[in-house]
Amino acid sequence: MQPKKREEKRNLETIPVGSLGLIPLEGCAGIGQEVDNYLTRWRAERESEHKASLAFAGYQRPTYIVRGDVPRFGTGEAKGVLKQSVRGMDLYIMVDVVNYSMTYSLFGQTNHMSPDDHYQNLKRIIAAVGGKARRITVIMPYLYESRQHKRSSRESLDCALALQELVHMGVDNIITFDAHDPRVQNAIPLNGFETVQPAYQFIKSLLHKVPDLTIDSDHMMVISPDEGGMKRAIYIANVLGLDMGMFYKRRDYTRVVNGRNPIVAHEFLGTNVEGKDMIIIDDMISSGESALEVAAALKKRKAKRVFVFSTFGLFTAGLSLFDEAYESGAIDLVLTTNLIYQTPELLERPWYVSCDMSKYIAYIIDTLNHDSSISDLLNPSDRINNIVARYKEAQESGNWEEF
């Protein structure tokens, strides 16, 4: 079933903060180009009586991407270079800190870029701006060091330190997606920090992919794979009118394996799942073992189909575990976003669905550049209700063109 293209227009009449500039760093050039395409098209079509005024100078341009580069020396050292003026601009810098496919030469050896490398490149570009921009917003979908967000012993607080460092360098706002723990923003309480949930894109993609869903509490259920993800599951369950269940991880606290206490078992708390479609939602798939163990446990309880929603599909242990789970019937679909790097092999998998976030990011940038509220983008409950209503109408009429 192919989705019908629907274009939503945002009526933005306020004066822009400054001339819009978009800097997608190495590693997210693809999604950066898609965002730029949306912005150029919307602004070319947008009618405004103020376009001729000085405040709207440079409002319509063939591209909003500011050319920049981070060349490296043979030692691996680097510098940030901007190839055009950014004076007075409202800059949006995009960075994917977990794109390990990018490489550079280090003493003649090929080195894959780590999150630290991407973060350093971000700081280099901010330093190259040199305080000349009117405002700097960093769009960092996967928040750097977000898994090290709290101290449980004598440990570093890497994420909090990074946020403070960016603010000290002149960053005004930081936009991330599905932060592992949004309370990390307490490190910068006087600056802008938004964590955006892609719930609407998950539901939209699932509805377009699966035409025979029955969206009610008798036929569907939302599952949180651990206690930390309860808030995500509660939100989707409440918006869709479904029941919710959760697993909690029973760990062996006498041992540490790969930096964490190994999981002994997943214990389920919730109502009967027999014959119901399951939505497992989490912020990230790392190795994927937890999600697959939860899916297998649900199947043992005679769940019908299992759909996994995860904002970030890292797949650090490869794809073979998911291939085996799909072939055995433990999972039916895995939906993650294109906010981070996706391998060509992943995109070809029959069990995988990519949720495009470029249009959503473009909405956020376009709205913030006009200094308008993005509250409707941060809480998409109305959008979710609308698309579910259209889905049910299409099911009843059989006319999927309207959906």
Side-chain angles (χ1 to χ4, degrees), residues 13-15 47-57:
E13 291 291 334
T14 54
I15 294 175
E47 296 296 330
S48 173
E49 59 182 311
H50 308 295
K51 278 185 181 177
S53 69
L54 187 62
F56 278 76

Side-chain angles (χ1 to χ4, degrees), residues 291-355:
L292 294 180
E293 287 174 8
V294 166
L298 291 171
K299 284 290 187 176
K300 284 183 180 178
R301 290 171 170 80
K302 300 182 180 180
K304 184 180 178 184
R305 291 176 291 190
V306 175
F307 309 113
V308 180
F309 292 178
S310 181
T311 306
F312 305 110
L314 300 171
F315 299 102
T316 57
L319 305 176
S320 58
L321 289 176
F322 285 85
D323 291 335
E324 294 170 7
Y326 176 70
E327 290 168 4
S328 67
I331 59 171
D332 292 86
L333 290 175
V334 176
L335 294 83
T336 76
T337 69
N338 65 339
L339 291 168
I340 61 172
Y341 172 66
Q342 300 163 299
T343 64
E345 294 78 17
L346 174 64
L347 295 172
E348 292 173 355
R349 289 301 197 268
W351 45 263
Y352 180 69
V353 178
S354 176
C355 304

Side-chain angles (χ1 to χ4, degrees), residues 62-258:
T63 181
Y64 297 97
I65 292 179
V66 175
R67 292 180 296 117
D69 193 15
V70 185
R72 287 185 180 268
F73 303 100
T75 56
E77 298 166 283
K79 62 180 179 180
V81 179
L82 293 178
K83 299 181 179 179
Q84 64 190 84
S85 173
V86 294
R87 187 178 297 274
M89 276 192 171
D90 184 21
L91 285 181
Y92 294 82
I93 307 175
M94 298 176 62
V95 57
D96 175 8
V97 299
V98 287
N99 188 340
Y100 62 92
S101 71
M102 311 307 298
T103 60
Y104 63 92
S105 178
L106 180 66
F107 287 92
Q109 304 295 316
T110 299
N111 207 37
H112 285 264
M113 291 183 68
S114 70
D116 293 336
D117 291 318
H118 287 290
Y119 178 63
Q120 286 298 124
N121 282 357
L122 170 64
K123 292 196 295 181
R124 291 178 176 118
I125 289 297
I126 295 171
V129 172
K132 301 301 187 292
R134 181 161 299 175
R135 188 174 67 177
I136 297 177
T137 299
V138 169
I139 299 178
M140 185 186 291
Y142 183 95
L143 188 60
Y144 174 70
E145 291 289 358
S146 58
R147 298 177 80 172
Q148 184 50 31
H149 61 284
K150 64 182 179 180
R151 177 179 285 158
S152 56
S153 62
R154 189 69 66 185
E155 298 175 343
S156 59
L157 286 171
D158 296 45
C159 189
L161 286 173
L163 294 177
Q164 291 182 349
E165 189 174 20
L166 291 177
V167 166
H168 290 157
M169 292 186 72
V171 173
D172 298 277
N173 301 295
I174 297 169
I175 296 174
T176 188
F177 286 77
D178 208 352
H180 194 62
D181 188 340
R183 290 175 295 182
V184 75
Q185 67 186 288
N186 291 341
I188 50 170
L190 300 181
N191 291 82
F193 181 97
E194 300 291 352
T195 177
V196 185
Q197 300 292 330
Y200 171 71
Q201 284 75 16
F202 283 142
I203 294 169
K204 177 182 177 182
S205 298
L206 179 65
L207 297 185
H208 283 308
K209 188 72 176 179
V210 184
D212 61 340
L213 294 171
T214 303
I215 306 173
D216 60 39
S217 58
D218 294 328
H219 298 87
M220 287 189 79
M221 195 169 174
V222 183
I223 303 295
S224 173
D226 54 40
E227 60 275 18
M230 285 282 288
K231 189 173 181 181
R232 301 179 190 92
I234 289 171
Y235 179 81
I236 287 187
N238 286 346
V239 173
L240 295 180
L242 308 178
D243 287 335
M244 195 209 80
M246 70 159 283
F247 284 80
Y248 72 89
K249 298 173 182 175
R250 190 148 52 85
R251 295 181 181 271
D252 180 0
Y253 286 101
T254 64
R255 297 186 298 136
V256 176
V257 179
N258 293 329

